[in-house]
Amino acid sequence: MRTTNKPSSILIFLLLFVFTSALAAQETKLKWFGHAAFSIVTPNGKVLLIDPWLNNPSNPEARDGKDPLVALPKVDYILLTHGHRDHVGDAVLIAKKTGAALIANPELAGNLVKLADFPGNQVDSRYIMQMGGEIQIADGELMIGMTPAVHSSSVFNAKAGPNEPERAYGGSPAGFIIAVRNGPTIYHSGDTAYFRDMELIGENYSIDIALLNINQMGPKMSARAAQSVQAKLAIPHHFGTLPGMLQTAEAFIAELKKRKIAVHEMKPSETVSFRGRKMTKAK
Ligand SMILES: [Zn+2]
Ligand SMILES: [Zn+2]
């Protein structure tokens, strides 16, 4: 009996191991660094950074002289919604450190290379997008869509002479749809006012999570945005970073409650995990 029991218990253990590893491999991770900066790690381990101002004052990983780039894992793609400095953030340093490819509009990409020293060989025309465009990346594990944003955009030109404008053209501001295979579909609003065509985003995509800029839209219209894009879960961002900015998400959460939309308020440097399209844990 002993000899037959032993292999079968080993087999069960092995099966359990394979099963739990397969489940872990289906995980998508979303991390907020404060302000508009998020990272997404896909089930296959691809890493995306959106609007990576990691050195923003609300990021605990950037306090007390700490460098948030030290702990940064490999980065495959940097997505920029627009050229404002609180969104381009540390993109140039991160690109140089990790070799990540840039996903942005052509004017922003071109001027970042020319004026901000973004590595030109990491700007690939396959990843240059315009609003309404969609690209498949990471061997089809990710679909990136670029959505409109009602805002402005410019690239800060540190090389500008005394009679030259400091703000160079940055193309049109945008938002992103990030659809992860075996994971959630995420909408990042970028900086935008509310616009009624957000309803089209809700009709065209099955949004699981909406990362909404509650400072630009205000609590009431941000909640309306969550409803328009038909988000199953809303996560606020772009607040509490700088003086003069909306400091809490309280009013936004109250407005979402009225509309019966689920919300999760992340803390800077918090990571949430998703199995398939559902959030499993926050830490
Ligand atoms: Zn902006
Ligand atoms: Zn901003």
Side-chain angles (χ1 to χ4, degrees), residues 35-36 82 84 86-87 151 191 213 216 238 245:
H35 207 63
H82 65 299
H84 290 160
D86 57 321
H87 294 257
H151 192 60
D191 280 3
N213 181 329
Q216 291 287 329
H238 211 293
M245 195 171 265

Side-chain angles (χ1 to χ4, degrees), residues 69-125:
L69 272 60
V70 170
L72 202 65
K74 65 150 190 158
V75 181
D76 298 290
Y77 307 98
I78 297 170
L79 287 69
L80 296 180
T81 60
H82 65 299
H84 290 160
R85 278 189 282 180
D86 57 321
H87 294 257
V88 171
D90 306 299
V92 175
L93 281 175
I94 295 166
K96 285 180 178 168
K97 185 178 148 103
T98 64
L102 180 66
I103 300 181
N105 77 50
E107 295 84 2
L108 176 54
N111 276 338
L112 279 178
V113 172
K114 201 158 195 179
L115 308 173
D117 207 19
F118 192 98
N121 59 353
Q122 286 161 235
V123 177
D124 182 325
S125 60

Side-chain angles (χ1 to χ4, degrees), residues 61 143 235:
E61 293 171 24
M143 189 287 296
I235 292 176

